[in-house]
Amino acid sequence: MTVHKCHLPGFAALSAAWLSVQPAFAAPPASAIVHDVVYIGARAIDPETGLDAVRNIAVDADRITTITADPVKGRRMIDARGLIAAPGFIDLHSHATNAEAAGYQAKDGVTTRLELEIGAYPVRRWYEVRQGRELLNYGTSVGHTPIRYFLQKGGGAAGLEALGRREAFFSGPEIDRPIPDAAYGQLAPLLQEGLREGAIGIGSGTQYAPGITYKEMLDVTRVAGKAHTCVFTHVRYGSLVEPDSTLESVQESIANAAATGACVHVVHINSMAMSDAPLMVDLMRGARDRGVDVSTEIYPWGGSVDSIRSVIFDPGWEKRWGVTVGDLQSRSTGKRLTQAEFDALRGGTADDGVIMHMNSEATITALLRDPMVMVASDGGDIAGPNSHPRSAGTFARILGHYVRETGVLAWSEAIRRMALMPAQRLEAFVPAMRRKGRLQAGADADIVLFDPDKVGARAAYGDAARYSEGFNYVMVNGVLVVDQGKLVPDVRPGRPIRSEIKP
């Protein structure tokens, strides 16, 4: 077997000292338990207990059973010397739907992907069509945005048929309209129905539907409060200028959480508040210090993605977002747009997406230095080289660029933001999360092992369809989905992640 070398300060000495008294694959007593899989000599990092030491890790069925410095035996013994072992990463914000995207995510260290920002409706059907077919663990919120569109289209069979045209509830005429008075009373019961069916909280793409009134958003949050769950919100405005600013939107979310007792998770604050994002996090911290349950996340890239025909680019967008048309990159050609090209696309019928480059490295670094901020991708399916690189390279970019190259985060802290914190955000109402995000005996065997000298994102703007590198092994529920750096074909160990809410 290849012995991986690690040149991190202190790690080589730690490994050498351990190996000097621990011969590789030392035979245990004949009476010892033979485990299914054993990783030998990994640098095991568990951010909850503070463990950061060379250990052997044993897995049986779908659980971690032993983490020890003592010799252990397994039916498969994997030489993990020189590798870091960590709990698998939990992506709270993934719009990816297909197997190809799951492969990119697995190669990026993700073991659980959750659609929480927009969510789904009907929830039961969403889970049913994925059962036994997923590479990664999966789950969804119940979608406020799709439910209001369902009601606007008359509900019933007609409403369900309309939901099949997903783009319509982002850019159709209904987005500017309130729910009809006769149908409004169905909103809360349908949200509650989704929660009973296992939805992980309530998702709301609030900005994408300007017809959502302040009362409607308060009522949605009140449903979450009564169910002791969260609203995951793309807040009402993304704007540096008042009125209708991100500041006002975050204040609305905090006020709703305080009034209802719900938790509110503000998605991708980096792409809602741009250079003001650190101020928004300070605002949320102040609310948390006073007992309001609010949290947030970022992705480590400077650009966002949206449809050029969405409300994001309504008149005045340049001032609101602090950009110019030259900061827009076509997802069709990969080139920056001219004003004439923007005008033609905006007035057309094609659902052309663009990448809007609006964040600086300084802003992202400042956000990552804040211990309150989690990491999530906001990634989706990859449709060629001009897709957003966050879909393939969010978590590896944190490890390669922001840990190894720039030292913004330590290894353990980075793992905490990508594994433990997301699990803790959900565990009060999603019992399965109490066994995830940890590298401990009894935890689910969602494990990543990566080479700290090599891990990093290879995806880039204009070259997005590239696997991350450095992840030698990725395990989901005790099944390897990445083995010796390669995707394992024909395995589907992903399991549904559901809440246990009975509102």
Side-chain angles (χ1 to χ4, degrees):
M1 290 188 179
T2 302
V3 177
H4 303 270
K5 302 296 184 182
C6 181
H7 305 292
L8 292 177
F11 186 29
L14 179 67
S15 295
W18 185 84
L19 290 169
S20 69
V21 297
Q22 191 86 205
F25 306 118
S31 61
I33 295 173
V34 179
H35 300 279
D36 290 344
V37 178
V38 172
Y39 300 100
I40 295 292
R43 177 182 174 183
I45 296 181
D46 177 54
E48 185 171 58
T49 62
L51 174 68
D52 186 347
V54 176
R55 292 289 186 267
N56 301 320
I57 303 166
V59 173
D60 291 289
D62 59 357
R63 299 289 178 91
I64 300 169
T65 48
T66 302
I67 299 178
T68 180
D70 297 329
V72 287
K73 185 177 181 180
R75 294 177 182 86
R76 178 168 181 192
M77 307 281 281
I78 295 177
D79 185 354
R81 292 173 293 179
L83 303 180
I84 290 178
F89 305 143
I90 299 166
D91 191 352
L92 294 179
H93 191 162
S94 173
H95 303 298
T97 63
N98 61 33
E100 180 186 25
Y104 281 101
Q105 291 170 295
K107 290 277 286 180
D108 200 36
V110 175
T111 56
T112 299
R113 67 179 186 186
L114 305 174
E115 164 61 271
L116 301 185
E117 178 201 31
I118 301 300
Y121 181 79
V123 170
R124 187 189 306 278
R125 178 61 177 162
W126 189 94
Y127 279 104
E128 285 175 348
V129 299
R130 287 161 176 78
Q131 184 70 42
R133 301 179 179 181
E134 294 293 321
L135 186 71
L136 309 176
N137 300 313
Y138 56 95
T140 186
S141 63
V142 57
H144 168 210
T145 320
I147 283 177
R148 75 187 311 275
Y149 185 65
F150 169 79
L151 293 174
Q152 288 174 321
K153 301 305 272 186
L160 291 175
E161 181 183 359
L163 286 176
R165 301 184 294 276
R166 181 180 171 92
E167 71 282 355
F169 56 84
F170 289 107
S171 58
E174 292 80 9
I175 65 173
D176 292 314
R177 301 171 186 165
I179 299 172
D181 291 343
Y184 188 83
Q186 299 177 54
L187 175 61
L190 290 176
L191 292 170
Q192 291 166 344
E193 172 192 284
L195 294 173
R196 285 193 297 270
E197 292 174 352
I200 303 171
I202 299 171
S204 183
T206 317
Q207 184 176 28
Y208 293 112
I212 295 174
T213 65
Y214 286 89
K215 179 182 183 298
E216 181 180 335
M217 201 62 217
L218 176 60
D219 287 343
V220 168
T221 312
R222 185 174 286 114
V223 172
K226 290 179 178 179
H228 306 288
T229 190
C230 281
V231 172
F232 300 87
T233 178
H234 178 126
V235 294
R236 187 177 297 276
Y237 304 117
S239 177
L240 294 168
V241 296
E242 296 183 40
D244 301 342
S245 67
T246 307
L247 173 61
E248 295 161 79
S249 301
V250 173
Q251 287 176 325
E252 177 191 13
S253 295
I254 291 171
N256 287 350
T260 65
C263 53
V264 172
H265 182 81
V266 176
V267 303
H268 53 41
I269 193 61
N270 55 307
S271 63
M272 298 306 297
M274 294 69 72
S275 58
D276 281 349
L279 172 63
M280 300 304 109
V281 177
D282 284 341
L283 182 64
M284 286 184 262
R285 180 182 295 101
R288 286 175 62 89
D289 289 346
R290 290 158 180 82
V292 181
D293 191 354
V294 61
S295 56
T296 194
E297 69 189 40
I298 70 163
Y299 53 84
W301 296 90
S304 65
V305 171
D306 273 295
S307 167
I308 205 162
R309 296 176 60 235
S310 73
V311 298
I312 303 298
F313 296 103
D314 282 353
W317 63 270
E318 300 99 322
K319 187 175 181 181
R320 289 196 303 273
W321 298 103
V323 296
T324 66
V325 71
D327 295 311
L328 304 183
Q329 181 178 0
S330 169
R331 293 184 65 196
S332 298
T333 67
K335 297 179 180 180
R336 301 293 179 113
L337 296 185
T338 65
Q339 187 65 52
E341 290 169 334
F342 173 85
D343 293 340
L345 291 170
R346 178 74 176 169
T349 58
D351 187 29
D352 286 74
V354 291
I355 296 174
M356 178 164 55
H357 296 274
M358 82 293 225
N359 262 319
S360 68
E361 179 75 353
T363 296
I364 296 169
T365 295
L367 290 167
L368 286 173
R369 290 190 188 280
D370 194 304
M372 180 178 155
V373 175
M374 301 176 219
V375 174
S377 75
D378 192 19
D381 296 335
I382 296 175
N386 296 318
S387 297
H388 198 300
R390 67 192 180 189
S391 299
T394 284
F395 299 90
R397 179 167 170 79
I398 291 288
L399 296 171
H401 181 61
Y402 291 101
V403 177
R404 186 182 62 244
E405 294 175 0
T406 65
V408 172
L409 297 172
W411 295 109
S412 181
E413 181 63 9
I415 293 164
R416 185 178 78 90
R417 308 293 188 86
M418 301 187 292
L420 179 62
M421 285 181 69
Q424 290 175 328
R425 169 68 288 177
L426 303 179
E427 63 187 16
F429 53 95
V430 184
M433 283 294 156
R434 298 167 195 162
R435 300 189 307 273
K436 296 190 183 296
R438 285 98 169 161
L439 192 71
Q440 302 169 19
D444 289 343
D446 295 347
I447 306 171
V448 297
L449 290 100
F450 59 88
D451 186 333
D453 290 338
K454 297 179 180 178
V455 69
R458 297 172 67 235
Y461 294 112
D463 193 12
R466 301 189 71 186
Y467 291 127
S468 294
E469 61 183 347
F471 285 94
N472 294 42
Y473 301 95
V474 177
M475 178 174 272
V476 177
N477 295 311
V479 177
L480 284 166
V481 299
V482 175
D483 192 345
Q484 299 182 60
K486 297 180 180 179
L487 286 169
V488 179
D490 303 321
V491 294
R492 296 292 182 269
R495 295 179 181 174
I497 306 297
R498 293 184 173 96
S499 67
E500 291 187 5
I501 297 170
K502 295 178 175 59

